[in-house]
Structures are given as C-alpha cells and as structure tokens.
Amino acid sequence: PFCCNSFACSADLVVWFGNLEDMHHLVVLHHGLNGSSRCCTAVGEAVCKIVEQQGEGKVHVTLLPITSNEAGFVFVNKVCYDGIDTCARRAGEEVTAAIQSQQGACSNGTGSFEKGPFTHISFAGISMGGVVLRATAARLFCKETSTMSNLIPSNFMSFASPH
C-alpha cells in the first residue's frame, strides 16, 4: 500500500514553522482514505529532521498522527467512510485529549519528549486527511480568541487533497 514514503524533505519547510525558538509546537498528521497513522511517517520524519537541523535544541515539536480514524489491520478502512464530519469530530477529540495530556510521538527529532505547554498547532494531511483536518481545524477554532484549543494556529498543509 502507498504510505507516502516518497515525501522529500526540503529546507523550504522551515518557513512553515516561522520562528523555531521558544515554542512547543503540536503538529497533527492525518492519513488518507484507506491509510493509517503509519502513512504519515515520512512527513513526520521530515518535520523532525528540519527541527534537528534548524532548531538547535531550542524548539519542541510533538507529532500527533491521528489514529481514531484508522481501522487497524483491515485492508479497507471502513472507519473513514463514516464521513468528513464524523472523522473530523473524532480527530478533534483526539487532538483535544493530546493537548490535555501533552503526549506525542516525537520531540526535537530524537524520540524524547519534554513536557511543557503547547504554544502552537499545525496540521498536515494526506489526501482525504487534508479535508478531515480542515474540518477539524474549523471545529477547534475559537473566533473570540483566534486560537485553536487555546493554541496559536500556525500552519495548514495538505498533500494531494481534493479541496
């Protein structure tokens, strides 16, 4: 199965993060229609590589690959066929839980994780995952404070998404 392992890392992605110092950045990753959280591995590895190269140990990045919309070992991911709104609700619940528990998969590209409050949030979705994350971001956004779950929205990236 196609799992995005051909994603190329580029120094241009540094612009995606802006100022890398003094932030704890939550990066939410979402797979495509019949994918799984493993499909986001290459994107996550690229993010960690950039942080290692540019962050000089001053920035903390936590990757959150969404798992609530995958079916596990089944070849056809029927969970994603529940619709964009339902998938966005599940992803939003997972993001909110991660923010509350401050847990994730990667920090500074080393696999270690230092606890501390998240300050920024970004989204990266592959194919249908981009559409799901777009709806998730809309659910999390608070107009009064211009934040997403009290985090500063930073960037939204989608790869081959139909929008």
Side-chain angles (χ1 to χ4, degrees), residues 2-161:
F2 175 71
C3 283
C4 313
N5 48 4
S6 62
F7 180 77
C9 178
S10 168
D12 294 340
L13 288 178
V14 173
V15 174
W16 180 40
F17 288 101
N19 181 10
L20 290 176
E21 293 188 30
D22 302 323
M23 71 168 64
H24 190 170
H25 204 119
L26 176 64
V27 180
V28 181
L29 308 169
H30 199 295
H31 56 82
L33 180 63
N34 287 322
S36 70
S37 57
R38 293 174 306 197
C39 293
C40 301
T41 301
V43 176
E45 287 173 357
V47 169
C48 288
K49 183 176 179 180
I50 290 168
V51 170
E52 277 184 341
Q53 292 173 350
Q54 304 293 327
E56 300 174 357
K58 298 176 185 173
V59 63
H60 302 284
V61 172
T62 299
L63 301 179
L64 177 66
I66 297 296
T67 58
S68 57
N69 289 324
E70 62 184 26
F73 63 89
V74 180
F75 289 107
V76 177
N77 187 351
K78 294 181 180 179
V79 176
C80 278
Y81 287 96
D82 290 342
I84 300 299
D85 290 336
T86 301
C87 289
R89 179 187 47 77
R90 283 193 292 253
E93 290 169 357
E94 192 170 340
V95 169
T96 301
I99 291 169
Q100 291 172 351
S101 66
Q102 301 282 312
Q103 294 178 351
C106 173
S107 178
N108 283 344
T110 63
S112 64
F113 179 71
E114 294 183 26
K115 290 194 176 203
F118 292 121
T119 58
H120 294 72
I121 188 168
S122 289
F123 300 90
I126 301 164
S127 190
M128 190 184 107
V131 179
V132 171
L133 287 182
R134 191 168 143 180
T136 302
R139 287 176 162 270
L140 296 175
F141 187 73
C142 175
K143 289 181 183 179
E144 291 79 26
T145 60
S146 294
T147 62
M148 292 181 177
S149 296
N150 294 319
L151 304 181
I152 300 166
S154 188
N155 299 283
F156 181 87
M157 294 176 44
S158 60
F159 304 93
S161 293

